[in-house]
Amino acid sequence: MLRILLYLVAIVAANVVTASFDPMEFGVFIVPMGTLLIGATFILRDLVQNKYGRTKTYLTIGAALILSALVSFLLDDTLLIVLASAISFAVSETTDTEIYSRLNLPMSWRVFYSGLVGGILDSAIFVIIGLSPLGAGFLPWEAVPAAILGQVIVKTVIQAIGAGILSGVSGNKQISA
């Protein structure tokens, strides 16, 4: 249960941190502060799946989706931001789960590859639906590619760190889900 609890806490913390702090800016890259935690949620979700299997993982993702939307709403995010968050979360977490399940690689590589794809989808969907002129209009179209790429870079770094740690812990053995 600890893995599930950590996953859910990380989801809530990502929402709170994103709402509470201005985004980081690295040159042209714009990265919401909660992105640091979102990279970790993919790793935590993989650990939930490793211990409990896909069915319980999907139930946990469903609970996290509802919790995330509720927290975003309570933090006064616009309905469009809540919707963008929910859609990007559902797509990225489902994709991460399915890729992780199907790769026949050591756990650390499954965590990295599934999280990489999940992170790309999460970033692109959220920025386009939630932040671009198509969504809430917080970013002009010119800033959208840098916002997506900035989030992808941060999430990828977090995934790489997590995969490296897991590689050292597991001895890079293949651990089945």
Side-chain angles (χ1 to χ4, degrees):
M1 276 316 257
L2 181 61
R3 292 177 189 202
I4 292 172
L5 181 62
L6 288 173
Y7 172 69
L8 295 174
V9 167
I11 296 292
V12 170
N15 284 332
V16 171
V17 167
T18 297
S20 301
F21 297 97
D22 289 335
M24 297 178 284
E25 293 186 32
F26 301 105
V28 298
F29 302 118
I30 303 164
V31 182
M33 294 295 285
T35 302
L36 298 167
L37 293 167
I38 294 300
T41 64
F42 289 118
I43 297 166
L44 291 167
R45 199 229 24 90
D46 292 336
L47 293 173
V48 167
Q49 185 173 347
N50 243 22
K51 182 159 183 132
Y52 299 108
R54 256 180 23 194
T55 301
K56 193 158 190 176
T57 297
Y58 275 115
L59 291 172
T60 304
I61 289 170
L65 178 62
I66 292 166
L67 187 59
S68 178
L70 178 63
V71 169
S72 290
F73 178 76
L74 292 173
L75 291 169
D76 289 329
D77 285 339
T78 66
L79 188 55
L80 200 49
I81 293 295
V82 174
L83 180 64
S85 179
I87 292 169
S88 65
F89 183 83
V91 170
S92 64
E93 290 289 329
T94 300
T95 302
D96 184 297
T97 299
E98 292 305 315
I99 290 172
Y100 183 85
S101 297
R102 288 168 170 70
L103 289 177
N104 190 22
L105 296 169
M107 182 183 176
S108 59
W109 286 109
R110 293 187 312 166
V111 165
F112 180 74
Y113 290 135
S114 65
L116 177 64
V117 175
I120 290 168
L121 289 171
D122 184 62
S123 301
I125 293 168
F126 181 74
V127 170
I128 291 169
I129 294 175
L131 304 178
S132 77
L134 180 67
F138 293 127
L139 295 175
W141 282 116
E142 303 81 45
V144 167
I148 293 170
L149 188 55
Q151 288 189 39
V152 168
I153 290 168
V154 170
K155 290 172 188 172
T156 301
V157 168
I158 300 296
Q159 290 293 321
I161 292 168
I165 291 168
L166 289 172
S167 178
V169 169
S170 70
N172 217 19
K173 295 178 202 163
Q174 187 167 327
I175 301 172
S176 63

